[in-house]
DNA sequence: TTGTAGGCGTTATCAC
DNA sequence: GTGATAACGCCTACAA
């Protein structure tokens, strides 16, 4: 494997000059630069990234720490980040915290050790996620999807409260009365804020929130299933449910199906997050969708900007959600004929 | 940031001894080892991975190059690999070739430059994917999901031909006659082998393959949609279709739905790959499922084994597929009453 | 079992 | 604008 010295010898220059050409520094004689470039191609020289990393005390890696790689929301998000990374010359290391603070902590330690150029993280916990060591070491960090407390970092979110409020208001206006909420772990801000939006919708209409209809689960299919089963065991059971993420919704729908209940006749469903291939699911599901890919892109751009300028004040970008009305939440039987019609375009 | 020398000084030993303790080498006096360990914790020392990488001329990264990060098959596969990587002390760098040979080539060059410890790849092309430079540099490579020609590498596959044969035989036995096939790009072995299995099913029954019912698409939803639309424009249109991957199946189902055709009454559907949340889709889809997570684990284990022993002969592991009979392929009207019953458990 | 010496390939610093 | 020199932090001989 040729080194920078082999190139230098062949081009008749010194090693630092080769380095300058390789890094595109302007202060090099064009003639020498050209000699260097041809020497590089002749020898088939490739820069040793490892040596470069050591010398510069930094890699060209971004660590993206998501809560669940198998959740399509995060996959789409990562795709957005990945595209920005490619455009700006970075690699994306994808890590999966599994909503597990220990696993997450392990990855954060590793990211620090590898001296990654930056970290994008959906914190497993608002308070429990320890970003301080990274920040103290000067590693740029962007929080995504969820807030991180006590750490002034760039953040990309959606307006969870407003999105949830809109979804639940839609149910209230449809005539539903016993509207349950299946939300995520309390330590994640998404779980908390979507629950807050749920409550807000009631309050604005002067309605009372029934705490007995609120469940906290783990953002997974299984958690959604259990929470829904638990809710359906009540008498009377809820006539509608707002589920705060996509995977829990799948579980909730299974539970409803297992009891041979009909959506929306027996129970209406509105979900936060997109359900991939929602158009193939019957009935189709009303959702609050987030611009996942855009969130990832935005986080990537903020990270790239912070790497360029460490001093900049941290910013928080809030992207909008969209309520997609579909069959699972059509208005109650009394007024359904009218409402359903309006859902067909 | 303390270095190995700071630790050495504090522990009253030399730097190499610290290194030995850190790397768990046995030839260290237990007393000294203990002194080193406490010095490490007292100083909050963390090994500089970059320097280590340079010295060892290797990283602790695995590059996993998949054809489509947003395809749940690959996501599940990556989870399997990731788990093995964690168990063996590696990081997974996830790269997305997007079935694009140029993008793939770019990542392969980068992997070489970063001196990753190993590469797991689902080659975008049987012949076009250039693994030679990696292999010449001594980088362990495992091909996954698809074969790579001209490169003797460990490989993890499923029996695509048998799986496809089984699926199509099922349709033939159900009384379907004009069975179309939507398969992937010819350069990917999965596309070719599943098509071969389709043809094999016909031949074994002495039936004739109608080339006009075969379409090649890009393994994406859109490709499946277009191919299906094209097939449905025929008169008479096919009475069944075998689609060779999950995303194309989604597209095909959309196309069928757009024409207001009924599955399986107007056209039966059998898909290769699992459809996530297949149980929520109506009608439920008959699928040939692959053990995606296991494939990923297996690839990870082969990679770890090859890193330990470069000399070992390359092996190919073939995992089985499973045909899941569901509603979308129940036997034709003439005999449906009987067959449907057998599908309900 | 432990320490000494040297180098991995690059880039930063400083003269010139 | 260019080159000599040193250093990044670690690990692997080899010698003791």
């Amino acid at each position: 494997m040729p080194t920078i010295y082999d190139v230098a010898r062949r081009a008749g220059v010194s090693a630092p000059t080769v380095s300058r050409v390789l890094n595109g520094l302007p202060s090099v004689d064009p003639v020498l630069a050209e000699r260097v470039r041809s020497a590089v191609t002749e020898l088939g020289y490739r820069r040793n990234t490892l040596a470069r990393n050591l010398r510069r005390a930094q890699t060209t890696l971004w660590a993206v720490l998501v809560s669940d790689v198998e959740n399509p929301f995060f996959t789409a998000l990562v795709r957005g980040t990945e595209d920005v990374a490619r455009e700006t010359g970075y690699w994306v290391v994808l890590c999966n915290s599994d909503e597990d603070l220990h696993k997450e902590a392990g990855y954060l330690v590793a990211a620090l050790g590898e001296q990654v150029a930056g970290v994008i993280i959906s914190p497993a916990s608002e308070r429990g996620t320890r970003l301080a060591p990274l920040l103290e070491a000067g590693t740029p960090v962007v929080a995504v999807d969820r807030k991180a407390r006590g750490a002034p970092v760039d953040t990309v979110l959606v307006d969870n409260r407003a999105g949830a409020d809109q979804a639940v208001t839609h149910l209230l206006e449809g005539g539903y009365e016993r509207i349950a909420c299946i939300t995520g772990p309390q330590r994640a801000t998404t779980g908390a804020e979507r629950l807050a939006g749920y409550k807000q919708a009631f309050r604005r209409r002067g309605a009372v929130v029934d705490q007995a209809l609120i469940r906290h689960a783990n953002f997974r299919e299984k958690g959604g299933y259990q929470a829904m089963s638990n809710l359906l065991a009540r008498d009377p059971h809820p006539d509608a449910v707002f589920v705060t993420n996509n995977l829990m919704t799948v579980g909730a729908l299974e539970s409803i199906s297992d009891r041979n209940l009909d959506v929306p006749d027996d129970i209406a469903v509105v979900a936060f997050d997109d359900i991939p291939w929602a158009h193939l699911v019957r009935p189709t599901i009303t959702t609050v969708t987030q611009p996942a890919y855009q969130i990832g892109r935005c986080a990537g751009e903020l990270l790239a900007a912070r790497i360029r300028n460490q001093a900049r004040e941290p910013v928080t970008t809030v992207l909008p959600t969209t309520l997609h009305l579909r069959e699972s939440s059509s208005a109650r039987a009394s007024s359904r004929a009218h409402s359903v019609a309006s859902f067909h375009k």
Side-chain angles (χ1 to χ4, degrees), chain A residues 244-258:
Chain A
T244 65
N245 102 326
N246 48 10
L247 298 183
M248 291 197 302
T249 304
V250 173
L253 290 170
E254 274 170 358
S255 168
I256 291 169
S257 164
D258 281 359

Side-chain angles (χ1 to χ4, degrees), chain A residues 64-291:
Chain A
V64 177
L65 257 141
V66 300
S67 328
D68 185 359
V69 212
E70 291 191 276
N71 185 326
F73 167 73
F74 287 114
T75 315
L77 186 156
V78 168
R79 272 299 317 271
T81 302
E82 193 194 9
D83 285 351
V84 177
R86 275 183 56 86
E87 291 160 17
T88 46
Y90 292 94
W91 283 48
V92 166
V93 180
L94 185 53
C95 312
N96 186 31
S97 75
D98 259 347
E99 301 285 3
D100 176 339
L101 274 169
H102 292 295
K103 219 169 159 181
E104 183 185 62
Y107 276 120
L108 287 173
V109 167
L112 192 53
E114 295 278 344
Q115 290 172 263
V116 297
V119 172
I120 293 177
I121 180 173
S122 66
S125 161
E126 184 178 10
R127 295 151 185 271
T129 298
R130 305 280 313 129
L131 298 179
L134 275 174
L135 295 170
E136 282 160 16
T139 307
V141 176
V142 176
V144 76
D145 182 52
R146 308 168 180 185
K147 291 177 192 155
R149 181 176 297 245
V153 295
D154 293 310
T155 306
V156 184
L157 306 168
V158 296
D159 194 338
N160 289 298
R161 183 189 278 253
D165 182 338
Q166 193 184 5
V168 175
T169 297
H170 159 64
L171 286 170
L172 287 166
E173 286 175 351
Y176 294 97
E177 289 163 356
R178 297 184 307 283
I179 304 173
C181 179
I182 300 176
T183 189
Q186 295 182 266
R187 60 166 187 265
T189 56
T190 36
E193 288 172 3
R194 291 171 196 172
L195 176 59
Y198 163 87
K199 291 179 179 170
Q200 178 175 300
F202 280 85
R203 281 198 223 95
R204 198 157 23 68
R205 292 174 65 92
V208 178
V209 173
D210 183 353
Q211 295 285 345
L213 295 183
I214 295 171
R215 294 291 180 282
H216 286 273
N218 64 354
F219 275 145
R220 302 284 170 75
E221 188 170 333
K222 198 166 186 179
Y225 184 92
Q226 289 165 344
M228 191 74 248
S229 302
N230 190 281
L231 284 165
L232 290 178
R234 294 174 60 87
D235 187 16
H237 66 67
D239 59 0
V241 63
F242 169 57
V243 191
T244 65
N245 102 326
N246 48 10
L247 298 183
M248 291 197 302
T249 304
V250 173
L253 290 170
E254 274 170 358
S255 168
I256 291 169
S257 164
D258 281 359
R259 304 226 166 194
N260 290 314
L261 295 178
D262 187 78
V263 175
D265 285 348
D266 296 319
I267 181 165
V269 175
V270 174
F272 212 101
D273 283 351
D274 220 353
I275 309 270
W277 314 321
H279 40 289
L280 297 178
V281 173
R282 293 290 175 276
T284 55
I285 308 296
T286 295
T287 58
V288 179
T289 63
Q290 311 184 60

Side-chain angles (χ1 to χ4, degrees), chain A residues 3-4 38 85 105 169 203 212 218 263 301 308 314 327 336 338:
Chain A
T3 76
I4 210 169
S38 36
T169 297
R203 281 198 223 95
N218 64 354
V263 175
E301 281 156 9
R308 283 193 299 272
E327 295 164 356
R336 177 146 332 115
H338 166 72

